[in-house]
Amino acid sequence: AQSVTQLDSHVSVSEGTPVLLRCNYSSSYSPSLFWYVQHPNKGLQLLLKYTSAATLVKGINGFEAEFKKSETSFHLTKPSAHMSDAAEYFCVVATDRDDKIIFGKGTRLHILP
Amino acid sequence: AAGVIQSPRHLIKEKRETATLKCYPIPRHDTVYWYQQGPGQDPQFLISFYEKMQSDKGSIPDRFSAQQFSDYHSELNMSSLELGDSALYFCASSLGRDSRFYGYTFGSGTRLTVV
């Protein structure tokens, strides 16, 4: 069975400094992994996805994530945080049958001025 | 570009009433997923449909039912509403059984408040 663990419930960084949001997954098969962002009172927006192509995935708004099979990780990074990045971020894994996707508990990113 | 449309955006109901939430997927998308997100919680999978047939079921209460219609829109019917049903309900759509490759597009959600 698939599962996803976001290691930090809250992350605070200063504006202009790097962002690292950690995600580990568990999957019996080659997984499909996604990062979604949710701004307050807003819907879920896809940042990027990994689907067994390139292990380094570039997404929107300067975010990228690297799939590391040996570490079962899919951490989200951004070189320089912006105030508008403050939001909830969800790491998501798709099940083998494609019938549902499973969310991590979310990481709330705080940007300090 | 067309997105996933959910209606209504907000809904206030009293306990024991019924509610119907609607989801209109992206054109040509044949798969719909419903999620419930409580305050400060991650989205929980409720149910999904592929080609108008239920494809998977999650933590959906027996008081809830859903279906996908011939035009691929879906409706989530909720009866005997309880205070704990207050949440943001998301619908997502995807294309075919290769959803993982195309990704999942979410609607903006319906915020249900039960008073």
Side-chain angles (χ1 to χ4, degrees), chain B:
Chain B
V4 176
I5 307 297
Q6 289 189 247
S7 67
R9 291 294 303 275
H10 301 273
L11 189 59
I12 300 176
K13 290 285 186 178
E14 295 187 353
K15 284 193 302 183
R16 293 180 288 279
E17 284 193 316
T18 62
T20 298
L21 278 54
K22 297 184 180 182
C23 170
Y24 296 87
I26 288 176
R28 297 191 306 113
H29 280 196
D30 51 15
T31 308
V32 169
Y33 313 78
W34 284 98
Y35 285 80
Q36 177 192 58
Q37 185 180 27
Q41 303 294 314
D42 55 295
Q44 296 294 314
F45 172 71
L46 292 178
I47 196 167
S48 62
F49 294 88
Y50 168 67
E51 280 292 342
K52 295 156 279 186
M53 298 287 288
Q54 180 182 310
S55 56
D56 202 355
K57 196 171 183 180
S59 53
I60 183 170
D62 293 339
R63 299 178 288 107
F64 295 5
S65 65
Q67 58 180 325
Q68 186 179 31
F69 294 85
S70 58
D71 63 352
Y72 295 103
H73 94 273
S74 178
E75 294 183 4
L76 178 65
N77 298 293
M78 311 160 72
S79 62
S80 302
L81 287 169
E82 301 173 356
L83 295 178
D85 296 328
S86 297
L88 190 58
Y89 290 83
F90 285 109
C91 166
S93 75
S94 65
L95 177 62
R97 302 314 291 271
D98 288 330
S99 304
R100 67 182 69 191
F101 296 106
Y102 298 106
Y104 307 80
T105 303
F106 283 83
S108 297
T110 293
R111 183 167 296 282
L112 172 67
T113 303
V114 181
V115 297

Side-chain angles (χ1 to χ4, degrees), chain A residues 51-109:
Chain A
T51 55
S52 75
T55 56
L56 182 61
V57 182
K58 294 188 183 297
I60 62 172
N61 301 333
F63 284 95
E64 61 182 40
E66 185 172 9
F67 173 74
K68 292 186 177 180
K69 186 175 182 179
S70 61
E71 299 177 9
T72 60
S73 69
F74 190 57
H75 300 334
L76 182 70
T77 60
K78 182 173 180 177
S80 177
H82 191 274
M83 293 300 291
S84 61
D85 294 329
E88 186 89 19
Y89 291 79
F90 292 98
C91 183
V92 174
V93 63
T95 65
D96 304 325
R97 295 189 301 153
D98 285 327
D99 292 324
K100 63 185 177 186
I101 55 176
I102 299 171
F103 284 77
K105 294 296 184 185
T107 297
R108 182 162 296 278
L109 177 62

Side-chain angles (χ1 to χ4, degrees), chain A residues 4-21:
Chain A
V4 61
T5 303
Q6 292 183 243
L7 299 167
D8 307 293
S9 58
H10 293 266
V11 169
S12 295
V13 302
S14 298
E15 189 175 20
T17 64
V19 174
L20 171 64
L21 305 183

